[in-house]
Amino acid sequence: MRGPWATSAHSCLTGWARLAPETRFMLAATCGKVPGTGNSPGQSMSRWSLSRTAQCFALLFAAAFAGLALNAHGHEVAAGIQPAASAPAQPPRPASTLFRNVRVFDGLSGQVSAPRDVLVKGNRIERIATGLPADADALVIDGAGRVLMPGLIDMHWHSMFAGPSLAVAMQAERSYLAVVAGVEATRALMRGFTTVRDMGGAAFGLKSAVDDGLIPGPRIYPSGAMISVTSGHGDFREFTDLPRALGAPGSRHDLVGDTAIADSPDEVRIRVREQLMRGASQIKLTAGGGVSSPHSPLDAITFTEPELQAAVVAAKNWGTYVAVHAYMPDAIRQAVNAGVLCIEHGSLMDEETARLMASKGTWLSTQPFPDAMADAFPRGSDQWNKAQEVFAGTDKTYRLAKKYKLKTAFGTDVLFSSALAGQQGAILASLARWYSPSEVLVMATGTNAELLALSGKRSPYAGQVGVVREGALADLLLVNGDPTVDISLVARPEQSFAVIMKDGIIYKNRPQ
């Protein structure tokens, strides 16, 4: 059963999906210009009057719910909206799809194969061979020697917060944020990202809408609420919200499931179990200070080791794992010693910490932050200054990861800027500063999929992602060009990706 928030978001996104495509694109473009989509990084609520914001929200929200106003024959009755039957949320899945004459990048070897055929049946890759026959009802795509590769994976995504500005994310109605999140989900898929690991936010309703075929979007591995401590990273409360009674939610962000404040081992266990009850595939805690949060200095160690251990045991008992946000060495080492399996960021780690992670086999999920990400905050503000400190450590972190052969995953951690979210592929391509194009692609496909597999039976999807092999889920990109030679192709998805397939369904088919 879905909770109240999941049901509300699911209903809103259902209405959005039932709008005619041209109507959705028009509103998506409008949404991209309201405060909240951040087309100008750092765009604040001050540039828009509350009345204008309300008007834009009303346009999107009313249009989305107009899609639910069906007459007795199942057709929309709102003026200018096409019947749902003529505007499916997603294309039908072909019984089988045959890619002929493609060179396969499998997501594991780093090599591109000789030309061969790839047969997809339903949502799985059934055969990879030469000279495969086509079924009578098969969709045949002539690859013309192009590269066929797995869909890309972003291991640190925030579905609910990638698009809206910080001010809007903190203040806007949830139903508005749900529509913005739906728009951003579709955009991410059309950039070739067929899977994301959501690392904090109430994304369960969005995930349901995508999985139910109501809106196009990537697979979502949700963490649920970002679990933090009082004054930690993720605590966006004002001083007037204090004090909090032990066991009580800290703010409206706790109530809707974006964050969860926990200040004892017992509270940590409760918050972890709440996320697992909602369907979390992994658990996210903030073990140290953060950039965007107003009350957490970077050097702070937030949770105690017993609190971290409580989370680790609760997650392990459910067959999954804990990932923690941490920049500083002390916070990272405490988390690793507590049994945490994945460190998010690690941007200011030192040699001792890297050696410890290597000895324990701890994953590093880090990001090549672009300088523009700091522009989500006023220049010169405490948050902007903290971002500069973190960004300065990026080069050292990647060099340590390579030196100690850390298991390293790729993600973007885009927040509060639709414009920056649009650079998702460019952020991936920027890894070429430290890795070869083939190494970058393996990291964003097969390696990321290895980390996803730590969710075990808590994985929301049955099957293997991130690879092109028989039996794997059919999440595939047909590329104009060879990304193992020119990694910049992933930064230009509109021109580079001739075919985008997720779960055997083709969302783009434009071979040139």
Side-chain angles (χ1 to χ4, degrees), residues 5-355:
W5 155 240
T7 302
S8 172
H10 189 273
S11 298
C12 184
L13 291 166
T14 300
W16 173 261
R18 287 179 172 173
L19 299 178
E22 59 271 23
T23 306
R24 292 205 304 269
F25 282 122
M26 178 191 73
L27 294 174
T30 303
C31 181
K33 295 181 176 66
V34 299
T37 58
N39 275 356
S40 298
Q43 183 180 15
S44 68
M45 187 70 106
S46 64
R47 292 183 59 185
W48 283 75
S49 68
L50 289 177
S51 61
R52 181 63 182 278
T53 300
Q55 290 169 6
C56 293
F57 163 71
L59 173 66
L60 282 166
F61 189 61
F65 272 87
L68 296 177
L70 307 182
N71 64 17
H73 300 289
H75 296 294
E76 289 84 345
V77 296
I81 298 177
Q82 300 297 317
S86 67
Q90 67 182 21
R93 180 188 289 116
S96 63
T97 301
L98 180 61
F99 292 90
R100 287 199 184 280
N101 187 21
V102 293
R103 296 180 298 137
V104 174
F105 177 87
D106 64 7
L108 299 170
S109 68
Q111 305 298 315
V112 173
S113 74
R116 59 192 58 185
D117 302 339
V118 176
L119 176 63
V120 173
K121 284 202 172 183
N123 71 338
R124 303 268 178 165
I125 299 171
E126 180 163 292
R127 290 284 311 281
I128 302 175
T130 57
L132 290 178
D135 295 341
D137 58 351
L139 172 64
V140 179
I141 297 175
D142 182 7
R146 294 181 179 87
V147 171
L148 186 73
M149 62 173 286
L152 299 169
I153 303 172
D154 190 327
M155 291 299 284
H156 198 118
W157 187 249
H158 292 280
S159 302
M160 304 307 296
F161 304 121
S165 70
L166 177 60
V168 172
M170 295 299 103
Q171 300 170 21
E173 291 285 345
R174 299 303 302 182
S175 47
Y176 173 85
L177 293 175
V179 174
V180 174
V183 171
E184 292 297 341
T186 300
R187 290 172 175 169
L189 176 62
M190 300 312 291
R191 289 191 291 266
F193 285 86
T194 54
T195 300
V196 298
R197 187 179 61 147
D198 191 286
M199 295 310 290
F204 296 112
L206 173 65
K207 177 187 179 298
S208 294
V210 171
D211 291 348
D212 290 351
L214 300 176
I215 60 169
R219 302 177 189 275
I220 298 175
Y221 283 70
S223 300
M226 180 169 57
I227 303 173
S228 186
V229 301
T230 293
S231 79
H233 180 55
D235 186 354
F236 291 96
R237 291 177 293 169
E238 302 293 336
F239 297 136
T240 52
D241 294 324
L242 303 177
R244 177 185 74 94
L246 199 65
S251 68
R252 78 181 188 103
H253 302 291
D254 285 27
L255 291 172
V256 301
D258 288 331
T259 59
I261 303 301
D263 289 308
S264 71
D266 286 339
E267 277 201 315
V268 169
R269 274 186 285 269
I270 291 171
R271 299 308 181 213
V272 168
R273 290 166 179 163
E274 287 172 347
Q275 308 321 307
L276 294 169
M277 179 179 178
R278 289 176 172 130
S281 51
Q282 64 282 322
I283 297 299
K284 163 77 175 295
L285 275 70
T286 60
V291 170
S292 60
S293 298
H295 312 302
S296 63
L298 287 179
D299 63 314
I301 301 174
T302 49
F303 287 101
T304 64
E305 192 162 337
E307 289 170 335
L308 291 171
Q309 290 170 338
V312 168
V313 171
K316 186 176 180 180
N317 286 346
W318 275 66
T320 187
Y321 69 100
V322 172
V324 303
H325 158 108
Y327 293 123
M328 291 290 192
D330 288 345
I332 297 170
R333 288 196 294 270
Q334 178 178 263
V336 172
N337 288 327
V340 167
L341 296 187
C342 183
I343 300 298
E344 302 297 314
H345 312 311
S347 305
L348 298 171
M349 70 163 61
D350 57 16
E351 293 259 357
E352 178 187 351
T353 305
R355 282 195 296 269

Side-chain angles (χ1 to χ4, degrees), residues 477-499:
L477 306 176
L478 186 64
V479 187
N480 292 320
D482 186 348
T484 67
V485 175
D486 181 6
I487 192 61
S488 72
L489 291 171
V490 301
R492 304 188 301 276
E494 290 186 7
Q495 297 79 27
S496 300
F497 298 147
V499 174

